[in-house]
Amino acid sequence: MSDAPTKIALVEDDHAGELLTLRRAAFVTEAQLYDDPRIPPLTQTLHELREDMARDDVVTVGAWEGHRLIGSIRVELEGSKATLGRLAVAPDKQGLGIGTQMLMAVAPYLPPDITEVWVFTGKDSKQNLSLYTRNGYEEQFDQAAGDLTYTYLRRVLGSVEVKDETPAQ
């Protein structure tokens, strides 16, 4: 593990290539889990990614270790709802809390009128589901998309806090 502190910042267009590389590396395990190399994070082009990043209703937040992008999360804003997607952590940094850090990093980038945050993942992505439920997201429903079934989870802001494992004194 590097001694450089992790910095959270918006991912700008000049880092789009690095973001695309990070996402592709991070989502290989998902593609293997579902035996599908054509999942959207692996097939998105650089042009499509740049168009997505330029949208007024999309914010992309990154975790940086020095000059290296080691994590990212996409936030789509719609009315009073934010939907998180494409949570990616560099394969050599997985399991170190970067995913949790990315989930927590979203809050400062949300407009004040956001009252709920949604996230979705493949129904068989047990590690992802565990990450989200540990951080206050509750399963709402499953939805099929072709051969894949997504589980949608929701967190109502202000009503659920992350569980503190420290015993009360």
Side-chain angles (χ1 to χ4, degrees):
M1 191 165 162
S2 170
D3 291 335
T6 303
K7 178 182 104 179
I8 303 298
L10 291 177
V11 180
E12 303 293 344
D13 184 76
D14 57 336
H15 291 284
E18 190 174 0
L19 176 60
L20 187 67
T21 300
L22 170 68
R23 284 182 178 172
R24 287 184 176 171
F27 277 92
V28 166
T29 53
E30 286 292 294
Q32 291 170 334
L33 175 65
Y34 294 102
D35 195 28
D36 184 0
R38 300 207 39 82
I39 61 174
L42 297 182
T43 59
Q44 185 177 40
T45 67
L46 181 59
H47 177 74
E48 291 167 340
L49 174 62
R50 282 194 155 123
E51 283 183 339
D52 186 63
M53 291 175 69
R55 291 174 41 188
D56 290 337
D57 62 338
V58 172
V59 176
T60 304
V61 181
W64 303 86
E65 190 174 80
H67 295 290
R68 180 181 177 210
L69 182 63
I70 60 169
S72 71
I73 192 165
R74 178 186 184 274
V75 183
E76 185 172 1
L77 306 169
E78 179 184 350
S80 63
K81 175 176 119 174
T83 303
L84 308 181
R86 307 262 167 112
L87 174 58
V89 176
D92 65 315
K93 298 294 181 180
Q94 292 177 3
L96 301 176
I98 307 290
T100 299
Q101 188 175 4
M102 295 309 312
L103 284 177
M104 298 297 108
V106 167
Y109 298 96
L110 297 177
D113 57 336
I114 297 294
T115 59
E116 59 185 16
V117 180
W118 287 78
V119 66
F120 62 94
T121 190
K123 184 169 183 55
D124 296 331
S125 299
K126 301 303 181 201
Q127 284 184 304
N128 295 350
L129 290 167
S130 176
L131 170 67
Y132 297 136
T133 56
R134 271 194 325 268
N135 286 281
Y137 290 82
E138 296 179 355
E139 290 187 31
Q140 301 297 308
F141 63 90
D142 293 336
Q143 183 174 15
D147 292 336
L148 187 62
T149 299
Y150 290 106
T151 296
Y152 287 79
L153 302 94
R154 178 180 71 156
R155 180 175 179 186
V156 177
L157 297 180
S159 67
V160 179
E161 295 301 320
V162 176
K163 295 178 182 135
D164 184 1
E165 301 297 325
T166 308
Q169 303 227 3

